[in-house]
Amino acid sequence: MVSSGAPPGLHGRAGAARLVIMQTLVVDHPLIAHKLTALRDERTDSPTFRRLTDELVTLLAYEATREVRVQPEVVTTPVGEARGVKLARPVPLVVPVLRAGIGMLDGMIQLLPTADVGFVGLARDEESLVAATYANRLPANLAGRDVFVLDPMLATGGTLETVITMLSQRDAASVTAVCLLAAPEGIERIAATFPHDDEPLPVRVVTAALDERLNERGYIVPGLGDAGDRLFGEI
Ligand code: URA
């Protein structure tokens, strides 16, 4: 079952030409809840954390790709003709946000093996909590393309706001953020983000849980700690 944390709607501000149609899906499924509980547990080691992340992302990807564009395709079976569909071109773009988003890439590509992959790197300053971009490998033109952003923790929303703005400036057709966990503060910030352009940009957040809040260090409570450290070790 999927619950919609914020109903689809237009969030606008005077002077903003481009409207963001924001939708939040909290995927409520016993397998997801089971895996997420193990992921949160501080006793879970890195190999298990990586495997659980992989599995969770594949389950979330099933919901996240529900509206991916397809085109008609007719195939011949051993007993006749079948009318079906195949993924429309241009193929979707998957964008893991470095570093922690890399831990979500395999799980997403399992369901979208033909997708292209772009990369953005953002690091947040632990004092100001402001995210700064240190890497950007995105196609210059994303017209007509569905984009899936992989970022395990939607906390303040600063990182996702920056990435959505980059994708909007490249004319992405839609942006779906796949997050293991989200905080209400991050969801609210994304819903209030207005890139400036003249076409509406559908934005969706698909997450396994909407947690209580952020703490004073910008960590999601109860959350799971630092996703990058738990996936790849402390740096
Ligand atoms: N990033 C993390 O890794 N964890 C949080 O709780 C918030 C941001």
Side-chain angles (χ1 to χ4, degrees):
M1 198 182 96
V2 172
S3 62
S4 186
L10 297 177
H11 302 260
R13 185 170 65 191
R18 193 170 201 196
L19 299 171
V20 174
I21 302 168
M22 164 78 182
Q23 193 181 19
T24 303
L25 302 178
V26 180
V27 185
D28 176 17
H29 188 288
L31 282 182
I32 289 182
H34 168 81
K35 291 177 195 296
L36 180 62
T37 305
L39 197 76
R40 290 183 191 273
D41 191 333
E42 63 182 3
R43 296 168 300 180
T44 299
D45 61 15
S46 280
T48 312
F49 194 95
R50 283 197 284 267
R51 178 180 54 76
L52 287 166
T53 298
D54 223 39
E55 293 170 1
L56 269 169
V57 172
T58 303
L59 292 169
L60 292 176
Y62 180 75
E63 277 306 331
T65 53
R66 186 171 284 283
E67 289 172 34
V68 74
R69 287 168 313 108
V70 290
Q71 62 189 56
E73 167 89 337
V74 179
V75 294
T76 307
T77 79
V79 287
E81 209 173 63
R83 290 172 196 280
V85 297
K86 66 175 184 181
L87 285 186
R89 298 196 76 83
V91 293
L93 182 74
V94 176
V95 181
V97 180
L98 305 178
R99 153 177 86 129
I102 289 288
M104 302 172 73
L105 183 57
D106 282 354
M108 190 75 198
I109 292 297
Q110 288 258 344
L111 283 202
L112 280 180
T114 57
D116 289 341
V117 180
F119 296 90
V120 290
L122 283 102
R124 72 173 182 171
D125 183 288
E126 292 301 331
E127 303 261 300
S128 65
L129 302 183
V130 173
T133 308
Y134 65 86
N136 169 1
R137 300 294 289 169
L138 292 173
N141 181 3
L142 293 172
R145 299 187 76 169
D146 295 316
V147 181
F148 296 89
V149 178
L150 308 179
D151 194 1
M153 310 298 273
L154 174 48
T156 64
T159 296
L160 191 55
E161 180 182 335
T162 303
V163 176
I164 292 171
T165 302
M166 291 161 97
L167 299 169
S168 170
Q169 287 165 346
R170 288 164 173 77
D171 281 338
S174 72
V175 178
T176 303
V178 182
C179 305
L180 298 177
L181 288 178
E185 293 91 333
I187 296 287
E188 280 159 26
R189 179 165 176 170
I190 298 305
T193 299
F194 307 100
H196 295 260
D197 206 332
D198 27 42
E199 293 295 321
L201 173 66
V203 172
R204 293 199 314 154
V205 173
V206 177
T207 185
L210 186 57
D211 272 7
E212 285 167 36
R213 62 183 168 87
L214 296 181
N215 69 12
E216 63 290 344
R217 293 178 54 220
Y219 278 81
I220 297 177
V221 180
L224 49 74
D226 188 303
D229 287 355
R230 295 200 62 188
L231 281 162
F232 302 121
E234 285 180 39
I235 52 172

